[in-house]
């Protein structure tokens, strides 16, 4: 029986010890002889963490008790909250505390290569960066190079503002194929080497470039969407806000997959007992936001313009799809942001998946909840492109 999905429709700063950004800019060029399944991708990604010698998740009760004691009382069995189909893989995944050292190790992990043809192949492009900055690298995936006036998704990868996504290439190819759109993914500069607004300006430079080069890319300027996962979805939400304010490039839709929207989550706003126990914790969130902002997460010195949840007004933003798991650390901030959009009269769809943790769809892509989740955001993106003006 299909699991229920909640749906709403409506008209402290630190001194980094990691290496420089070059670690995240290398990509393996060895082709794959056989196409891997989505489950293979997830298992291989989980293996990356195990290869680092991290503690197995079976020790979660002991290893995470201390890191969460300041935010919520203990839950007797955190695993009892998890969707049963997601549970076996989750228990194999390592638990860890995010640190500068850990970020450095993750940056050195090899990324998954692209799926072989006939999947559309990623093409590397370099465009002018923001004033005074280096070029910005893009990955362009076009499912139908001979066609004109295609829609485009400007994509921003996840990774807690500090890391790349090792599953990026197959994911871009899947979106391009399933949604029949050009996908342009931005290799924005990472924190803590680059603080806000560096990554925002990289993403905005990419937005302007896509708009200016529509003919070359074979896209329709009136069908530009922005989106991403986790930190990338937070970047997408921020980009939509700044594009509205600068009024240079119209955005038709924002695809926000468990977006990281509020630096106060896990710092000045404690997480409830059932939330944020797996994959991305309150401690990781504080570390990530502080790395991006250069000031302690949740503090009064945070620039409000850097945080989608702190922006005074959401009026005039494009329609949105927001999806998150019910035990994801971001569930409250994502629901609150969706409520603000709805209240402002912006067509918004919100999905909350029962028993799902952060990144569940990537870790267990064949689970029924994951398939429903992916089908929902893909359908919303296709609908937005077909309408030309979102939901």
């Amino acid at each position: 029986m299909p699991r229920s999905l909640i749906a709403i429709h409506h008209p402290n700063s630190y001194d980094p010890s990691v290496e420089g950004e070059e670690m995240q800019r290398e990509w393996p060029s060895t082709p794959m002889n056989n196409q891997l399944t989505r489950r293979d991708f997830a298992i291989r990604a989980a293996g990356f963490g195990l290869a680092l010698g991290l503690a197995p998740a079976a020790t979660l009760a002991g290893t995470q008790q201390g890191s969460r004691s300041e935010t919520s009382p203990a839950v007797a069995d955190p695993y009892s909250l998890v969707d049963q189909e997601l549970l076996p893989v989750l228990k194999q995944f390592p638990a860890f505390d995010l640190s500068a050292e850990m970020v450095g190790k993750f940056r050195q992990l090899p990324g998954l290569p692209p799926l072989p043809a006939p999947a559309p192949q990623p093409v590397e492009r370099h465009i002018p960066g923001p004033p005074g900055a280096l070029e910005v690298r893009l990955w362009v995936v076009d499912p139908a190079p001979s066609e004109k006036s295609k829609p485009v998704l400007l994509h921003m990868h996840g990774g807690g503002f500090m890391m790349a996504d090792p599953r990026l290439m197959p994911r871009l190819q899947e979106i391009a194929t399933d949604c029949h759109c050009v996908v342009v993914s931005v290799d924005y500069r990472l924190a803590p080497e680059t603080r806000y607004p560096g990554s925002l300006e990289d993403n905005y430079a990419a937005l302007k470039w896509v708009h200016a080069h529509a003919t070359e890319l074979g896209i329709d300027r009136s069908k530009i969407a922005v989106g991403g996962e986790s930190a990338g979805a937070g970047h997408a939400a921020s980009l939509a806000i700044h594009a509205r304010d600068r009024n240079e490039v119209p955005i038709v839709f924002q695809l926000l997959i468990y977006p990281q929207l509020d630096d106060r989550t896990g710092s000045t706003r404690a997480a409830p007992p059932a939330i944020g126990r797996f994959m991305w914790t309150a401690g990781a969130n504080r570390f990530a936001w502080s790395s991006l902002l250069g000031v302690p997460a949740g503090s009064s010195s945070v620039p409000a313009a850097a945080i989608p949840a702190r922006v005074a007004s959401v009026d005039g933003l494009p329609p949105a799809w927001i999806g998150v798991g019910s035990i994801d650390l971001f569930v409250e901030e994502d629901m609150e942001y969706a409520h603000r959009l709805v209240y402002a009269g912006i067509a918004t769809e919100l999905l909350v998946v029962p028993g799902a943790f952060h990144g569940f769809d990537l870790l267990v892509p064949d689970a029924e909840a994951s398939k429903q989740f992916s089908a929902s955001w893909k359908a919303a993106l296709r609908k937005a492109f077909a309408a030309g003006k979102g939901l």
Side-chain angles (χ1 to χ4, degrees), residues 29 31 55 59 63-64 73 112 133 157 175 210 213 290 310 364 368:
S29 58
T59 64
T63 59
Q64 295 191 341
L112 291 171
H157 66 77
I175 297 171
V210 165
H213 291 77
S290 299
R310 294 203 192 204
V364 197
E368 187 64 27

Side-chain angles (χ1 to χ4, degrees), residues 60-61 74-82 87 91 277-278:
L60 177 120
V75 170
D77 179 14
Y79 290 115
S80 67
L81 307 173
V82 180
L87 191 56
K91 284 190 172 182
R277 293 184 166 269
F278 302 104

Side-chain angles (χ1 to χ4, degrees), residues 97-330:
D97 290 322
L98 193 64
S99 65
E101 180 183 8
M102 187 61 63
V103 168
K105 289 180 178 180
F106 271 115
R107 286 189 183 183
Q108 296 177 63
L109 297 174
L112 291 171
L115 295 169
Q121 297 302 296
V123 176
E124 183 176 348
R125 299 290 298 266
H126 292 260
I127 67 169
L134 298 175
E135 289 184 326
V136 177
R137 182 169 70 168
L138 308 177
W139 292 102
V140 181
V141 182
D142 189 342
S146 63
E147 292 184 16
K148 305 299 181 185
S149 300
K150 297 181 292 288
V152 60
L153 173 68
L154 184 65
H155 174 270
M156 282 130 271
H157 66 77
F161 307 127
M162 298 177 288
M163 299 166 283
D165 180 358
R167 298 165 295 241
L168 180 65
M169 294 303 168
R171 188 166 182 81
L172 301 181
Q173 292 171 289
E174 177 187 334
I175 297 171
T177 300
D178 292 352
C179 298
H180 199 73
C181 63
V182 176
V183 180
V184 179
S185 188
V186 190
D187 188 18
Y188 54 83
R189 287 171 290 171
L190 300 177
E193 296 88 348
T194 299
R195 310 283 194 182
Y196 173 84
S199 51
L200 168 67
E201 296 302 336
D202 288 349
N203 295 329
Y204 192 77
L207 177 65
K208 290 190 68 176
W209 182 85
V210 165
H211 186 261
H213 291 77
T215 301
E216 174 190 347
L217 294 169
I219 64 170
D220 183 343
R221 283 191 180 93
S222 69
K223 296 183 179 182
I224 300 175
V226 298
E229 311 83 34
S230 192
H235 278 312
S238 183
L239 180 60
I241 292 166
H242 286 269
R244 174 201 64 182
D245 295 344
R246 299 179 191 186
N247 197 28
E248 295 179 307
V249 179
I251 293 174
V252 71
F253 188 68
Q254 46 184 335
L255 175 65
L256 308 181
I257 300 173
Y258 31 80
Q260 188 172 1
L261 299 173
D262 197 338
D263 66 302
R264 296 165 294 188
T265 298
S267 54
T268 54
R269 292 184 176 180
I275 293 173
R277 293 184 166 269
F278 302 104
M279 305 304 295
W280 191 257
T281 67
N285 208 44
R286 291 192 301 271
F287 185 81
W289 276 111
S290 299
S291 299
L292 176 68
L293 302 172
V295 296
S299 68
S300 59
S301 56
V302 168
I307 316 295
R310 294 203 192 204
V311 171
S313 173
V314 297
D315 291 346
L317 290 178
W321 183 97
I322 300 175
V324 65
S326 68
I327 56 175
D328 190 318
L329 182 70
F330 301 150

Side-chain angles (χ1 to χ4, degrees), residues 299-373:
S299 68
S300 59
S301 56
V302 168
I307 316 295
R310 294 203 192 204
V311 171
S313 173
V314 297
D315 291 346
L317 290 178
W321 183 97
I322 300 175
V324 65
S326 68
I327 56 175
D328 190 318
L329 182 70
F330 301 150
V331 64
E332 287 190 297
E333 65 189 58
D334 291 354
M335 291 192 297
E336 181 178 343
Y337 197 69
H339 178 267
R340 291 185 66 193
L341 293 175
V342 168
Y343 193 78
I346 297 166
T348 301
E349 182 175 354
L350 169 67
L351 264 62
V352 179
V353 184
F357 47 82
H358 192 67
F360 73 98
D361 57 321
L362 302 181
L363 192 61
V364 197
D366 294 332
E368 187 64 27
S370 300
K371 291 188 287 187
Q372 290 185 11
F373 186 77

